[in-house]
Amino acid sequence: GESVGLHLPTLSVQEGDNSIINCAYSNSASDYFIWYKQESGKGPQFIIDIRSNMDKRQGQRVTVLLNKTVKHLSLQIAATQPGDSAVYFCAENKGGSYIPTFGRGTSLIVHP
Amino acid sequence: DTAVSQTPKYLVTQMGNDKSIKCEQNLGHDTMYWYKQDSKKFLKIMFSYNNKELIINETVPNRFSPKSPDKAHLNLHINSLELGDSAVYFCASSQGSWNQPQHFGDGTRLSIL
């Protein structure tokens, strides 16, 4: 999972497994959260978002869980595929602010 | 169609030079951003700009300046380039408010010799 540190955390999984990427966010006043996927040589790409009035939101093969009590966000990817290999970022926004705060990122490696 | 495009993709230049990176978005968004990504993949916001206000990250040196000729463009000018400016710079845009995701360009890799 993700941590505040100098090295990019890495999660290695086998193709077909479920992946869980974790993020500890910093601001208890944040009320909008986003997950981005960044492939090599590309910019971050929006995956899924969630507002603070929700605990869970599902997309296609992805689910985001929000635990405001412990300021924790997770991204679950079902049936992980090699094409899911990328760096995943969580980001948080405080209401009224245009400036998101990005987490450190987690590198997901999917082995065929 | 490329939603957020930035040029050039690669920029190699010498210390002390002045350079610009261009960004255009065709999404009709009214807010644009510049980010710097270091070698450890950390994304740092530099500027946020819409037709109402420019928000500057106070840690960004004043050698960096955004210039927006119109709503669809936000260019980044950098004066007196330093070795520490080497990074990948991303442009992004979003529609207005705080609770909308950002759309990113594919980055400009700046290398200072």
Side-chain angles (χ1 to χ4, degrees), chain A residues 39-79:
Chain A
E39 297 175 277
S40 179
K42 299 284 188 183
Q45 178 184 14
F46 168 76
I47 303 173
I48 192 167
D49 58 4
I50 189 168
R51 289 167 172 70
S52 59
N53 60 352
M54 301 172 70
D55 297 323
K56 178 180 179 179
R57 191 166 187 221
Q58 288 184 290
Q60 187 178 12
R61 282 202 307 119
V62 294
T63 300
V64 55
L65 298 177
L66 174 63
N67 185 331
K68 295 180 286 293
T69 303
V70 295
K71 294 191 290 186
H72 185 268
L73 193 66
S74 68
L75 177 70
Q76 300 177 1
I77 305 174

Side-chain angles (χ1 to χ4, degrees), chain A residues 20-36:
Chain A
I20 300 176
I21 301 171
N22 296 304
C23 178
Y25 64 91
S26 57
N27 190 343
S28 56
S30 293
D31 46 14
Y32 175 62
F33 305 87
I34 318 107
W35 280 100
Y36 291 92

Side-chain angles (χ1 to χ4, degrees), chain A residues 6-8 31-32 34 36 38-46 49 51 87 89 93-100 102-105, chain B residues 9 30-31 33 35 37-38 40-43 45 47-48 50 52-53 55 90 94 96-107:
Chain A
L6 297 178
H7 303 287
L8 195 66
D31 46 14
Y32 175 62
I34 318 107
Y36 291 92
Q38 185 179 19
E39 297 175 277
S40 179
K42 299 284 188 183
Q45 178 184 14
F46 168 76
D49 58 4
R51 289 167 172 70
V87 176
F89 293 94
N93 262 50
K94 180 182 169 187
S97 170
Y98 287 93
I99 309 295
F102 277 78
R104 267 286 178 186
Chain B
K9 189 170 178 63
D30 58 9
T31 306
Y33 310 80
Y35 286 85
Q37 187 172 50
D38 63 20
K40 291 181 171 60
K41 298 293 187 182
F42 185 60
L43 269 167
I45 183 79
F47 304 102
S48 164
N50 64 19
K52 297 174 185 174
E53 62 180 334
I55 301 174
F90 287 98
S94 69
S97 64
W98 57 274
N99 61 352
Q100 295 295 325
Q102 296 177 349
H103 297 252
F104 285 79
D106 282 339

